[in-house]
Amino acid sequence: MDANTIIADIKKRKLLPVYLLHGEEPYYIDLVSGSIEAQVLDEAQKGFDQTILYGKDTDFVTIVNAAKRYPMMSDFQVIIVKEAQHLKWKDDGLLLQYLENPMKSTVLVLAHKYAKFDKRKKLYKVAERAGAVLESAKLYDDKVAPWITGFLKNEGRQIHPQAAAMMGEYLGNDLSKVVNELEKLMLNVPAEREINAQDVEQHIGISKDFNVFELNTALAKRDTVKAFQIVNYFAANPRTNPIPVVLGAMGGYFIKVLKYHYLTDKSPQAVAKELGVHPFFTREYEVAARNYNRQKTFAIVHHLRMYDLKSKGVNALNVPHGELLKELVYKILY
């Protein structure tokens, strides 16, 4: 079951006896458990019928004893176990026994964050039968920009593909962090207007002219002047442009250029699908592939791997990261 379905059912008061929320991405776990905490009981009822426990500080005896109580001021009582990954799951027999026949008036939430729950355990199957199980998987870096676009679409907002790509490159795949920045944008940009790169620069602090997204574009076009302007800016501002982020984004970009070379169907629709990019960017990959043939693209990917090692001190002790980036860009262009 996905998070949106669970939240929609909660709003309709279609409540289940247990919610096992697990996975490496905490955002959806927090979203669902937060929805249950906020919506099932009103403020007066929470004092009597809502219990918050923490995995580090509780055990299954406490959880099950609480779950077996009857609500006092509502039709339901809510028990939320936060950080449930810290429970001693090898001793889960008591909880397993409870879930075989759970109280219909109890809503038990197990928020197992930052790791997948062991699906081989009997308790996992029992939880699936008794209630709802949500696996919150980590989003791959190249899926963040489309996720941003989809999130804003659900909010009735629009964002330019370039602005979404900028945010995806620099904010990474921590969805809680991404959502915080999106909420900031939605507060500051009029609802009727598309969010653009200037908005991202103004309200989030990512330069619309000097970022790794623009560096990749300059390299694709073999725009030497622009590429070195950007990399010099990175060298002067290493804290806001850390080399792992820059190299990771460049590596992902040129891997896509390499994939483009091997596509049999190079129509915009096929390229967008195969490379996992917005159709807005397909023309740029065509330009990059013209400027860098297969052999050169292979060499660039190799350079990127070597400079990733150098940035970690391999055969390049005490070399400033800005100098490494300048060397790398020179080797890509020439």
Side-chain angles (χ1 to χ4, degrees):
M1 192 176 290
D2 64 78
N4 290 332
T5 301
I6 293 174
I7 291 170
D9 285 346
I10 291 166
K11 290 179 179 178
K12 296 174 186 174
R13 306 292 291 178
K14 294 180 180 178
L15 302 172
L16 298 172
V18 62
Y19 294 86
L20 174 58
L21 316 174
H22 72 109
E24 297 171 342
E25 173 52 64
Y27 172 72
Y28 288 109
I29 296 172
D30 290 338
L31 193 67
V32 172
S33 62
S35 179
I36 292 171
E37 185 174 349
Q39 297 185 41
V40 174
L41 303 173
D42 63 32
E43 290 304 317
Q45 293 167 338
K46 287 178 184 178
F48 296 93
D49 293 326
Q50 184 161 284
T51 303
I52 307 295
L53 302 170
Y54 290 86
K56 284 183 179 179
D57 305 319
T58 193
D59 54 35
F60 291 114
V61 173
T62 303
I63 293 168
V64 171
N65 284 342
K68 287 182 175 180
R69 292 197 303 257
Y70 286 95
M72 297 176 63
M73 302 290 289
S74 172
D75 293 331
F76 296 94
Q77 70 153 335
V78 174
I79 300 168
I80 300 176
V81 184
K82 299 186 176 184
E83 300 173 6
Q85 70 273 14
H86 295 302
L87 286 165
K88 295 178 180 178
W89 286 100
K90 63 180 180 180
D91 303 323
D92 64 5
L94 195 62
L95 179 62
L96 177 63
Q97 185 180 353
Y98 169 77
L99 292 181
E100 294 280 9
N101 186 28
M103 297 278 289
K104 301 302 182 185
S105 58
T106 293
V107 177
L108 174 61
V109 181
L110 301 167
H112 187 284
K113 296 167 71 172
Y114 307 113
K116 294 181 181 179
F117 193 87
D118 188 349
K119 297 180 182 179
R120 297 168 299 178
K121 291 179 73 67
K122 185 178 179 181
L123 189 138
Y124 185 90
K125 300 297 182 185
V126 173
E128 278 188 314
R129 291 198 300 269
V133 174
L134 169 72
E135 181 178 342
S136 185
K138 201 74 176 174
L139 200 65
Y140 289 111
D141 289 340
D142 62 347
K143 302 297 182 185
V144 177
W147 188 90
I148 288 170
T149 301
F151 177 90
L152 288 171
K153 185 177 180 181
N154 288 338
E155 298 291 326
R157 305 295 295 267
Q158 290 185 312
I159 186 169
H160 191 278
Q162 183 180 5
M166 285 170 57
M167 292 183 68
E169 294 287 6
Y170 271 86
L171 297 177
N173 61 358
D174 181 341
L175 295 185
S176 297
K177 179 180 178 182
V178 172
V179 170
N180 284 339
E181 299 298 343
L182 289 174
E183 288 175 345
K184 193 185 302 181
L185 284 171
M186 288 189 286
L187 280 173
N188 288 282
V189 179
E192 65 274 9
R193 181 166 69 72
E194 180 183 69
I195 296 168
N196 57 38
Q198 287 83 358
D199 298 319
V200 172
E201 179 176 43
Q202 181 179 352
H203 301 293
I204 299 179
I206 303 170
S207 172
K208 68 180 178 63
D209 296 315
F210 298 100
N211 59 69
V212 71
F213 176 82
E214 291 297 330
L215 175 60
N216 285 335
T217 299
L219 291 172
K221 297 176 180 177
R222 295 197 94 128
D223 185 340
T224 304
V225 173
K226 181 67 173 176
F228 277 105
Q229 283 179 339
I230 295 171
V231 84
N232 284 331
Y233 177 85
F234 288 175
N237 299 273
R239 288 188 178 182
T240 53
N241 302 277
I243 197 167
V245 173
V246 175
L247 292 178
M250 292 173 70
Y253 185 83
F254 279 97
I255 288 292
K256 288 186 175 73
V257 175
L258 191 59
K259 287 180 179 178
Y260 181 93
H261 278 295
Y262 288 91
L263 294 178
T264 53
D265 183 355
K266 290 184 168 64
S267 66
Q269 296 81 6
V271 171
K273 181 180 179 181
E274 293 299 324
L275 300 188
V277 300
H278 193 282
F280 178 83
F281 299 112
T282 56
R283 170 68 177 162
E284 186 177 306
Y285 286 95
E286 179 187 345
V287 172
R290 273 206 313 269
N291 284 326
Y292 305 99
N293 61 26
R294 289 186 190 182
Q295 185 178 357
K296 177 63 175 177
T297 308
F298 270 115
I300 290 170
V301 171
H302 174 72
H303 289 322
L304 284 160
R305 288 174 178 166
M306 291 302 100
Y307 276 83
D308 178 57
L309 291 174
K310 287 185 176 185
S311 73
K312 295 166 183 171
V314 178
N315 298 324
L317 284 174
N318 301 319
V319 179
H321 286 173
E323 294 304 312
L324 291 177
L325 285 174
K326 291 176 188 177
E327 286 180 17
L328 173 61
V329 167
Y330 182 86
K331 289 188 176 183
I332 290 173
L333 290 168
Y334 298 104

